[in-house]
Every structure is written in C-alpha cells, then in structure tokens.
C-alpha cells in the first residue's frame, strides 16, 4: 500500500506550516438524520475555527447501507459484485453533500467529493477492495482554497475507472489512509460511544472505557468482533504510525487513543474481552490422515475467497481425522459448498455445520510477560459450567468457542474474573 504522498503546501497560501491538519470521520449513526448532521457540522466548524485544516470522512446515513442490502435481497439472491459497488457507493454521496450544505449554513466554506474524485485508487476486488494509492492533489487544492474538505468514505476506483467499495466499515480505512497520505496530526473516529471499552457495555454494564490501547490490541479486538473500527484501518494506522482517537460525536470527552505499544501497557494483563456471535463451525469427518490432504482442503476453500478462522484436528485410531474450523456466518452457504467439494476430492466423509456457537476472547499485550492467563480464563468458564469446544491462542490473545446461548454469560464471567470493571 503506497498512500505515501505528503501535502505540498507552498509558501504564501495563508496557512503557515504550524497549522495542524486533522482527519475526522463520522459514522452512520452520527449522521443518521438532519439534526445529527447539523450537530456534526457545528462540531466540524468549531474545530476549523480553532485554526485547524480539516478533512472530514463521512459514512452513509444511519441504516442506509442495510436498507440498500435489503432492497437487493428483494430482487436477487446472487447480485453482481460490480453492481453492488455501484449501488452501495451512493449512500455516502448523500451524506457528504448534506454535510457540506449544513456547513455552508454556518458560514464556512466546504466542498464534498466522492472517493474516486479525490483519487483513491484500489485493486479491482469488488465489495472488499484494498487501497493502492491516493492522489491528494485535489484535496490539497481545496484546502488551499480555504475549504473544509468532505470525502465519501468506503469507496474508491480502479485504474480502469470502475467504482469499488472497501468492505464493511470501510470509511474507517478511508479516514486512516487519508491521514497517512496527508500527514495529518492525527485521525479522529467519531461514533455513538465514548471510546473503546473493556467489553461491550450492552453485554457487560460494568465495562470500563480505556484511555489508551495499542494497535496490536485493537487489531485483535476488531478481528474478534468488537465493532469499534475496521481491522484493516488499524493495520494501516500501525504500519504508518497514524495516531487515532475513537471519540463520541455526542459529547467532548477525550475518548480512547490508539497508538504504539509502550512499557506501561504491559502492566495490564488483559485489556478487553470480545464476543463474536457471527461465526459458524464446519466439521469434515473421516478425512484421510496423510500429508497434503489438509492443504488440498483449505486451498479449495481459499480459492472460493472464504476466510477460515479457528482450526482444530482430531486424529482417530483408524488413519482418519476430523477437521473442524470456523467461518463467518455470512459466508456459510458458499463455504459449505466449497467444503463438500473439498471433502469429495480427498475421499473424506460427511460435512456438518453448527451455527449455534459463540467465540469469546481475551486480549492484552500484558500476556507476553504474565503466566497463567489462559488457565484463569478456562477456570472462569469452568466455574460457570460453560463447556469449551475449541481453543485458539496467539501472543496477546486467547479465544474459546462455546455454545451460542452461553456467549454473553461467558463474557461477563471472564470480565469479572480479570477485574476489568469500573473501579
């Protein structure tokens, strides 16, 4: 990923070199209706009048994307991915134009652009494209002209001028990538919560807001189902060291800073507990136990563009093995089709799936220097009579698959066991 151009502000343009450029991103809930759009406009103008240059990235209004997806579902169950991008990219066009109008009403200059208009170039993978480059020239000129620049998140274009979208939560990626390309002081992600918590407050009422979290921790939490920021946006933030604040658009609290790991962070063993109810477990029975078989199975799955998460293999006494793994529920239908093909190709047995599972995880950079963390987690589940089906670990994470109806109970038990609640 390039996005490595620096702003080329010249002398005598009236800004000076000490004026900070800030990228702000407002999610769909922050611009869900006219009143909220006006509130966002007021906040943006307040920041501008403090002397900052501003690039504002906006998501589609409220539930617009979901409504468009429902409309697609009423027409076809196999939509063209190209046409999906053409459709879904329209949501952000509405919100950026309305926000620009609201800022004009407050007496400030603003101009709205789509992703393609500001030169966000992506690969040709429709519905989940990756950013390759950003040509910041048009944004820089608009800033020199004294504008607040408003950019539609979630979208870009290929070198062949095809519209693409960046996947669910892609506006976060747009904002962080622009922060890098424009060498912003920092990137502010505004949402309807005050920051990042030790657990989902809707599941664990005693969850505590974190003042600071490392890129690695939030990447793990995002990949595990914590829906604060898109994991790919955190990858870009970490790679290019873009400081990111997650803040509420409803108040002026400091929020949570996502930044580089520091020694103080290691004092906290576990930073957060995550719950993911959006995965399903697939099991292939009686797979021949010989070299290369597993590789063939997972190559077929990968060729279908399906991401596999946790994997466990159970060897039997009959030169056969059972392989279980998890996939996103949204990909379950296509995954089952691919897995059945894979099982037949290696002369494996039947394939089953279980959608009634939950994945609970603990994350913390402090795990690197503390022992007994996993056993403490398993003990909390045992005390609450919650059975563990699968286990996966990394340097700063432990995940367990448990019965779906026990997921929330498991999160509360683990959160309490590690003393993560409000002091």
């Amino acid at each position: 990923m390039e996005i490595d151009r620096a702003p080329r502000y010249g002398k005598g343009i009236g800004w000076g070199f000490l004026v900070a450029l800030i990228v702000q991103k407002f999610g769909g809930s922050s611009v869900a209706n006219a009143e909220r759009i006006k509130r966002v406009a007021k906040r943006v103008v307040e920041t501008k009048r403090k002397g900052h240059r501003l690039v504002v990235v906006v998501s589609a209004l409220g539930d617009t994307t979901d409504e468009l997806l429902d409309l697609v579902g009423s027409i076809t169950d196999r939509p063209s991915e190209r046409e999906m991008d053409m459709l879904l990219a329209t949501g952000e066009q509405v919100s950026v134009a309305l926000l620009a109008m609201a800022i004009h009403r407050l007496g400030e200059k603003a101009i709205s652009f789509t992703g393609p208009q500001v030169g966000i170039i992506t690969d040709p993978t429709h519905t989940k494209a990756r950013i390759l480059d950003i040509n910041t020239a048009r944004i820089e000129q608009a800033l020199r002209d004294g504008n607040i620049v408003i950019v539609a998140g979630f979208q870009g274009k290929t070198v062949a001028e095809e519209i693409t979208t960046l996947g669910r939560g892609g506006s976060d990626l747009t904002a962080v990538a622009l922060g890098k390309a424009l060498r912003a002081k920092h990137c502010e992600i505004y949402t309807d919560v005050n920051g990042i918590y030790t657990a989902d407050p809707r599941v664990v009422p005693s969850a505590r807001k974190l003042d600071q979290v490392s890129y690695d921790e939030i990447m793990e939490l995002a990949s595990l189902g914590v829906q604060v920021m898109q994991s790919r946006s955190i990858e870009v933030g970490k790679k290019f060291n873009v400081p990111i604040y997650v803040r509420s658009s409803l108040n002026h609290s400091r929020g949570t800073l996502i930044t580089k790991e520091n020694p103080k962070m290691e004092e906290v063993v576990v930073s957060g507990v995550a719950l993911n109810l959006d995965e399903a477990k697939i099991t292939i029975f009686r797979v021949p136990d010989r070299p290369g078989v597993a590789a063939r199975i997972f190559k077929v799955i990968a060729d279908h563009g399906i991401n596999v998460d946790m994997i466990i293999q159970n060897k039997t006494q009959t030169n056969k093995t059972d392989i279980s793994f998890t996939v996103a529920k949204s990909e379950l239908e296509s995954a089952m089709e691919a897995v059945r093909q894979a099982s037949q190709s290696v002369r494996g047995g039947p394939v089953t799936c279980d959608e009634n599972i939950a994945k609970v995880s603990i994350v913390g950079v402090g795990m690197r220097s503390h022992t007994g963390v996993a056993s403490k987690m398993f003990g909390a589940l045992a005390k609450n009579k919650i059975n563990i089906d699968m286990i996966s670990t990394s340097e700063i994470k432990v995940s367990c698959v448990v019965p779906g109806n026990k997921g929330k109970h498991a999160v509360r038990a683990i959160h309490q066991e590690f003393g993560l609640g409000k002091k």
Side-chain angles (χ1 to χ4, degrees):
M1 183 174 188
E2 296 178 20
I3 57 167
D4 199 22
R5 293 187 175 88
R8 296 178 288 276
Y9 295 105
K11 294 182 180 179
I13 59 175
W15 292 107
F17 291 97
L18 299 179
V19 178
L21 185 147
I22 296 173
V23 176
Q24 296 182 330
K25 178 262 176 178
F26 292 89
S29 60
S30 299
V31 291
N33 53 48
E35 287 307 311
R36 291 194 177 187
I37 292 171
K38 291 177 184 177
R39 184 188 299 153
V40 167
K42 183 178 178 183
R43 184 159 198 153
V44 168
V45 167
E46 286 173 357
T47 306
K48 169 74 183 301
R49 289 175 180 171
K50 289 177 182 177
H52 298 296
R53 291 171 287 144
L54 272 180
V55 174
V56 181
V57 176
V58 188
S59 298
L61 276 64
D63 297 323
T64 298
T65 300
D66 289 334
E67 291 167 1
L68 291 172
L69 289 171
D70 289 343
L71 188 58
V72 171
S74 67
I75 293 173
T76 176
D77 58 357
R78 290 183 177 273
S80 156
E81 291 187 338
R82 179 190 182 278
E83 301 308 326
M84 285 290 289
D85 279 355
M86 287 289 289
L87 175 68
L88 296 180
T90 63
E92 282 71 19
Q93 284 186 244
V94 175
S95 53
V96 294
L98 290 173
L99 180 58
M101 294 174 193
I103 291 171
H104 295 160
R105 181 174 169 270
L106 296 175
E108 289 289 343
K109 292 180 67 176
I111 185 168
S112 65
F113 295 113
T114 66
Q117 283 179 314
V118 295
I120 296 177
I121 307 300
T122 76
D123 67 18
T125 308
H126 285 292
T127 74
K128 47 187 174 183
R130 303 188 74 86
I131 297 176
L132 301 177
D133 195 11
I134 300 178
N135 184 339
T136 59
R138 195 164 187 183
I139 293 177
E140 293 166 31
Q141 183 58 56
L143 288 168
R144 282 196 290 268
D145 292 340
N147 286 288
I148 296 169
V149 177
I150 307 168
V151 179
F154 178 63
Q155 60 187 245
K157 67 176 180 178
T158 68
V159 292
E161 301 288 332
E162 292 285 345
I163 291 175
T164 54
T165 61
L166 308 178
R168 202 68 164 173
S171 292
D172 292 339
L173 179 57
T174 302
V176 178
L178 284 172
K180 161 55 187 172
L182 293 163
R183 293 189 181 174
K185 177 185 177 184
H186 60 255
C187 183
E188 299 174 351
I189 305 295
Y190 286 92
T191 180
D192 55 358
V193 294
N194 290 334
I196 298 166
Y197 286 75
T198 52
D200 186 339
R202 295 167 298 183
V203 177
V204 184
S206 64
R208 177 172 45 87
K209 183 177 75 68
L210 298 168
D211 291 329
Q212 189 169 296
V213 67
S214 72
Y215 292 117
D216 285 339
E217 287 172 321
I218 193 60
M219 271 198 292
E220 288 281 15
L221 288 168
S223 68
L224 294 168
V226 175
Q227 297 176 355
V228 175
M229 285 190 68
Q230 187 203 50
S231 57
R232 285 165 57 198
S233 68
I234 304 299
E235 290 175 15
V236 174
K238 178 184 178 181
K239 181 176 180 180
F240 298 110
N241 193 24
V242 179
I244 303 167
Y245 283 95
V246 177
R247 308 176 64 180
S248 171
S249 61
L250 306 177
N251 58 53
H252 286 78
S253 66
R254 182 175 179 271
T256 301
L257 172 63
I258 303 173
T259 186
K260 292 187 294 185
E261 184 179 326
N262 62 58
K264 188 176 180 181
M265 291 179 179
E266 294 182 7
E267 297 173 10
V268 180
V269 180
V270 173
S271 296
V273 185
L275 171 66
N276 189 341
L277 297 171
D278 294 325
E279 291 193 5
K281 184 181 77 169
I282 295 176
T283 300
I284 312 175
F285 294 95
R286 300 198 301 275
V287 177
D289 184 24
R290 60 176 183 267
V293 170
R296 287 174 59 186
I297 290 172
F298 288 104
K299 183 179 186 306
V300 172
I301 296 169
D303 288 345
H304 282 73
I306 296 162
N307 289 319
V308 171
D309 188 14
M310 300 172 70
I311 303 173
I312 189 168
Q313 183 169 320
N314 299 314
K315 187 174 181 179
T316 68
Q317 300 297 317
T318 60
N319 292 323
K320 300 284 185 179
T321 185
D322 299 335
I323 300 176
S324 296
F325 53 91
T326 59
V327 299
K329 284 183 180 177
S330 61
E331 296 184 327
L332 181 58
E333 185 178 346
S334 55
M336 285 295 288
E337 183 178 336
V339 173
R340 289 191 182 103
Q341 291 177 16
S343 181
Q344 289 176 4
S345 71
V346 298
R347 298 185 178 181
V351 177
T352 64
C353 70
D354 181 2
E355 297 183 61
N356 183 33
I357 66 168
K359 183 171 69 176
V360 291
S361 309
I362 55 173
V363 172
V365 294
M367 291 186 196
R368 295 190 182 114
S369 54
H370 291 76
T371 60
V373 180
S375 63
K376 190 173 182 178
M377 178 184 185
F378 302 155
L381 295 175
K383 281 189 289 187
N384 286 271
K385 296 180 170 56
I386 299 172
N387 191 46
I388 300 172
D389 193 16
M390 303 173 74
I391 298 171
S392 172
T393 65
S394 74
E395 194 177 25
I396 64 169
K397 174 203 74 177
V398 181
S399 294
C400 297
V401 168
V402 301
N405 59 354
K406 299 286 187 179
K408 292 181 179 180
H409 185 191
V411 168
R412 296 186 191 109
I414 295 167
H415 194 270
Q416 182 176 358
E417 184 72 21
F418 283 95
L420 298 177
K422 297 173 183 175
K423 307 300 182 187

